[in-house]
């Protein structure tokens, strides 16, 4: 089972993409920037979860 961080990170990444797209459509630069930041957060969180999965799988 994937680590909770991987799931939450993936969701944050998708939410960030949606927010960035909404910012592009409306011309809202702040919203676009927030979306890009959320994507980065999501990717980092997903990577942390992947590392946890690897460590957990290595112990079993």
């Amino acid at each position: 089972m994937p680590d909770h961080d991987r799931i939450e990170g993936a969701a944050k990444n998708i939410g960030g993409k949606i927010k960035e797209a909404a910012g592009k459509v409306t011309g809202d630069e702040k919203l676009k920037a927030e979306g890009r930041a959320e994507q980065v957060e999501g990717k980092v969180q997903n990577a942390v979860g992947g590392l946890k999965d690897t460590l957990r799988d290595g112990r079993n």
Side-chain angles (χ1 to χ4, degrees), residues 40-55:
V40 170
E41 287 176 31
K43 288 176 185 177
V44 169
Q45 189 171 9
N46 192 340
V48 168
L51 181 58
K52 287 180 182 178
D53 282 345
T54 300
L55 293 173

Side-chain angles (χ1 to χ4, degrees), residues 4-35:
H4 176 72
D5 282 322
R6 291 191 79 175
I7 296 166
E8 195 173 303
K12 219 178 251 187
N13 186 13
I14 291 169
K17 287 181 183 195
I18 292 168
K19 193 179 266 192
E20 182 182 10
K24 284 181 182 178
V25 169
T26 61
D28 186 337
E29 292 299 319
K30 183 178 180 228
L31 191 60
K32 280 175 30 179
E34 287 174 4

